[in-house]
Amino acid sequence: MDKEKNVTTYNVTQLPKNNLDELFEFAGKLRNSPDHKDRFKSEYLDLTVRAERLRRMLVRYKDGTLEFKPNNTYEMLHAQYIFMIEYGNILYERAEIEHINLSADEVFKK
């Protein structure tokens, strides 16, 4: 697996909307679709939003601007983020194999 390629592909900033709450809400709408491809897109988008939120938190944690003190270490939260990225990479590869288009234009068609 080419991690560099996949990590750059797996990036919430490439999506047409940058409001994470809107993205998360949109994923929820796809989640209940009878179409398995929509549910797959929902899972990918949901993970993308959660990973981006965690990434932003890690940035603030590291630079000391986080507004609360987490119970977990930075290292543990960073490990979680890495696993989320790997999970996203697996979903992305599955989507290619299953011919599910995860491009922003396709995901936001609904």
Side-chain angles (χ1 to χ4, degrees):
M1 177 185 318
D2 182 2
K3 290 182 184 180
E4 289 303 314
K5 172 188 170 278
N6 289 329
V7 169
T8 56
T9 303
Y10 178 68
N11 183 347
V12 75
T13 60
Q14 294 175 348
L15 299 173
K17 298 178 182 180
N18 59 7
N19 182 319
L20 295 181
D21 292 333
E22 287 180 24
L23 292 171
F24 197 69
E25 183 179 325
F26 184 78
K29 291 176 183 174
L30 292 176
R31 192 173 298 122
N32 296 319
S33 172
D35 184 348
H36 78 282
K37 289 183 178 185
D38 284 344
R39 292 191 307 273
F40 190 99
K41 292 172 190 176
S42 172
E43 181 177 358
Y44 183 79
L45 185 56
D46 186 53
L47 178 64
T48 302
V49 169
R50 289 174 188 267
E52 177 61 12
R53 285 179 174 164
L54 180 56
R55 186 197 67 77
R56 291 178 184 185
M57 187 188 93
L58 287 168
V59 168
R60 292 191 315 270
Y61 195 160
K62 193 161 195 158
D63 69 14
T65 61
L66 194 58
E67 48 284 335
F68 66 96
K69 172 122 174 71
N71 293 326
N72 293 295
T73 64
Y74 175 88
E75 291 74 20
M76 179 176 282
L77 293 169
H78 186 264
Q80 176 184 343
Y81 174 72
I82 296 301
F83 279 107
M84 291 172 85
I85 294 298
E86 288 301 320
Y87 178 38
N89 291 338
I90 291 167
L91 288 177
Y92 192 86
E93 287 183 27
R94 275 188 57 208
E96 287 182 339
I97 292 166
E98 297 176 27
H99 305 290
I100 299 172
N101 188 343
L102 293 178
S103 72
D105 291 340
E106 179 64 25
V107 170
F108 291 104
K109 247 190 215 179
K110 297 279 177 192

